[in-house]
């Protein structure tokens, strides 16, 4: 990312991270909060840490598994699609909170403006499509075995959005730079 | 002929394919950074050794976390094994933790999309 300089983007990410953390902390207990580079090592660390934390709290396998699966998909989505700075790092955040209704996972990351239209298209499709239709699409992708290293066709997000107890929302925020902020909020109800 | 042996890691499953047995075992977590590359190695081995499965195939799964791209690659692998079995028996054992609905659901989806009846085996955690 060039032009506005890395520090401007860092500040923007931290600002949104702060706002999101404040919102989630009012809704329940924040179990995990992180802002910085998201890579595969972090995906492994957070998934293991959360699993151990929840096991110690006596949470059942079903919930741990559902949450773990969602965390992995959300983080890997950031890993694959977030813009990288000149040092090769992405700037992103993840927050996971728990309330008496269930869990909330929120990720935020910067995406290059050239991907604005395609991102909005994916968002509109997932938001406007019935869960049963998304499930059919997921089955089709599974049946056809379509996957490439680059284009994953939104299968990770579809696999989360199609679940009946999941409510997935997206925010796309612009601030006049050549990047936009992409925020995913996944509410997993009991 | 040598078989295929891949040691499991924190994000990738162990793979055991014993030569001459038609048996394939996949166990562990499956959310590698590049699921495509990980499973391509297995598909490549299968493609190079179709005779290994001409008398039938027995696949044993015991997975925990499986990301969406791994699921697609598993689907692709099952389709290939079914093709190479040439109408002979294809047995798939799907073991999972009893409360792990996500893995149970994935097993049913893979069974349905591959057209292979799975033997479901829910187990309690130790």
């Amino acid at each position: 990312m060039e032009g506005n300089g890395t520090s401007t983007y860092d500040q923007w990410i931290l600002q949104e991270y702060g706002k999101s953390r404040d919102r989630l902390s009012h809704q329940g207990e924040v179990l995990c909060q992180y802002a910085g580079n998201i890579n595969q090592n972090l995906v492994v660390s957070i998934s293991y840490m959360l699993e151990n934390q929840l096991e110690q709290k006596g949470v059942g396998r079903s919930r741990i598994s559902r949450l773990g699966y969602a965390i992995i998909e959300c983080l890997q989505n950031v890993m694959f699609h977030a813009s990288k700075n000149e040092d090769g790092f992405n700037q992103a955040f993840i927050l996971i909170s728990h309330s008496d209704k269930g869990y909330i996972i929120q990720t935020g990351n910067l995406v290059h403006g050239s991907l604005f239209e395609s991102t909005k298209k994916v968002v509109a499709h997932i938001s406007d499509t019935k869960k049963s239709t998304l499930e059919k699409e997921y089955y089709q992708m599974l049946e056809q075995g379509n996957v490439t290293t680059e284009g994953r066709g939104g299968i990770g997000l579809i696999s989360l959005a199609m679940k009946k107890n999941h409510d997935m929302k997206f925010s796309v925020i612009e601030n006049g730079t050549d990047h936009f902020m992409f925020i995913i909020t996944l509410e997993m109800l009991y | 002929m040598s078989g295929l042996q891949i040691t499991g890691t924190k994000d990738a499953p162990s793979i055991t394919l014993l030569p001459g047995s038609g048996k394939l075992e996949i166990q562990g977590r499956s959310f590698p950074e590049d699921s495509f590359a990980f499973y391509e190695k297995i598909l490549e081995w299968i493609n190079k050794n179709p005779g290994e499965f001409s008398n039938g195939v027995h696949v044993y799964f015991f997975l925990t976390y499986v990301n969406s791209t791994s699921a697609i690659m598993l689907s692709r692998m099952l389709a290939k094994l079914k093709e190479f079995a040439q109408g002979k028996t294809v047995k798939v054992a799907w073991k999972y933790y009893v409360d792990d609905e996500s893995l149970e659901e994935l097993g049913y989806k893979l069974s349905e999309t591959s057209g292979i009846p799975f033997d479901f085996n829910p187990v309690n955690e130790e």
Side-chain angles (χ1 to χ4, degrees):
Chain A
M1 290 186 282
E2 293 171 354
N4 262 14
T6 306
S7 60
T8 307
Y9 290 117
D10 284 343
Q11 283 170 16
W12 190 16
I13 273 285
L14 289 174
Q15 265 176 11
E16 291 301 328
Y17 169 65
K19 285 185 212 167
S20 294
R21 191 180 50 197
D22 288 347
R23 266 196 305 271
L24 289 190
S25 61
H26 283 104
Q27 292 172 28
E29 177 195 9
V30 175
L31 301 176
C32 171
Q33 49 184 327
Y34 172 86
N37 181 46
I38 290 181
N39 59 21
Q40 181 68 7
N41 286 338
L42 190 87
V43 178
V44 171
S45 302
I46 289 185
S47 60
Y48 273 82
M49 182 197 76
L50 255 294
E51 187 175 2
N52 289 337
Q53 193 181 338
L54 297 178
E55 272 175 4
Q56 281 173 14
K57 288 184 174 186
V59 177
R61 163 63 54 184
S62 176
R63 279 184 192 171
I64 293 176
S65 167
R66 271 182 62 205
L67 185 64
Y69 175 76
I71 290 167
I72 289 164
E73 289 294 343
C74 287
L75 286 172
Q76 288 192 328
N77 178 67
V78 172
M79 226 172 74
F80 295 132
H81 299 295
S83 292
K84 290 183 170 61
N85 63 18
E86 49 208 15
D87 298 320
F89 299 126
N90 58 49
Q91 289 142 303
F93 68 81
I94 179 163
L95 290 154
I96 304 165
S97 73
H98 175 235
S99 72
D100 53 359
K101 290 180 188 167
Y103 296 93
I104 295 175
I105 301 171
Q106 191 163 64
T107 60
N109 61 276
L110 296 173
V111 183
H112 192 265
S114 61
L115 299 171
F116 186 73
E117 290 306 322
S118 57
T119 303
K120 283 198 90 167
K121 206 171 154 187
V122 171
V123 165
H125 174 67
I126 294 176
S127 305
D128 300 343
T129 307
K130 283 182 185 171
K131 286 180 184 287
S132 57
T133 308
L134 290 177
E135 195 169 6
K136 277 182 197 159
E137 285 178 13
Y138 176 78
Y139 266 92
Q140 273 173 4
M141 287 191 235
L142 209 57
E143 197 165 1
Q144 291 162 3
N146 283 339
V147 64
T148 65
T149 48
E150 294 302 321
R152 292 171 168 79
I155 188 174
L157 296 183
I158 288 175
S159 72
L160 294 175
M162 71 184 195
K163 292 188 187 291
K164 63 181 178 200
N165 295 333
H166 286 188
D167 184 19
M168 189 177 246
K169 290 191 172 66
F170 305 93
S171 304
V172 174
I173 308 167
E174 293 177 276
N175 76 341
T177 67
D178 59 352
H179 281 74
F180 62 94
M181 179 90 61
F182 185 51
I183 297 177
I184 298 176
T185 306
L186 176 66
E187 203 170 339
M188 303 172 63
L189 302 171
Y190 288 149
Chain B
M1 179 188 298
S2 60
L4 181 66
Q5 181 82 50
I6 298 172
T7 306
T9 64
K10 284 185 172 181
D11 58 6
S14 66
I15 311 281
T16 311
L17 218 161
L18 300 172
S21 68
K23 282 183 185 170
L24 170 62
E25 290 185 5
I26 303 182
Q27 298 187 68
R29 293 163 188 248
S30 185
F31 57 97
E33 184 166 1
D34 190 344
S35 306
F36 179 79
F38 180 81
Y39 283 101
E40 264 301 306
K41 285 181 286 188
I42 304 159
L43 280 168
E44 201 177 302
W45 193 96
I46 294 169
N47 274 323
K48 281 184 183 165
N49 300 281
E52 280 288 316
F53 308 101
S54 56
N55 290 322
V57 184
H58 191 173
V59 191
Y60 171 86
F61 287 106
F62 188 11
L63 295 165
T64 47
Y65 295 105
V66 179
N67 68 356
S68 52
T69 42
S70 291
I72 284 194
M73 294 307 286
L74 291 176
S75 171
R76 204 187 270 191
M77 193 184 70
L78 287 170
K80 185 57 72 181
L81 289 171
K82 193 178 171 185
E83 180 193 328
F84 285 166
Q86 297 171 348
K88 301 269 174 52
T89 311
V90 181
K91 283 186 179 173
V92 176
W94 187 264
K95 190 172 171 182
Y96 60 98
Y97 287 124
V98 71
D99 293 329
D100 195 338
E101 291 157 16
S102 304
L103 260 293
E104 182 184 16
E105 196 182 310
L106 178 63
Y108 278 102
K109 283 190 175 116
L110 286 172
S111 175
E112 193 178 322
T113 51
S114 65
I116 302 168
F118 282 18
D119 177 17
F120 288 93
N121 181 14
V123 293
N124 286 308
E125 285 187 74
E126 288 171 8

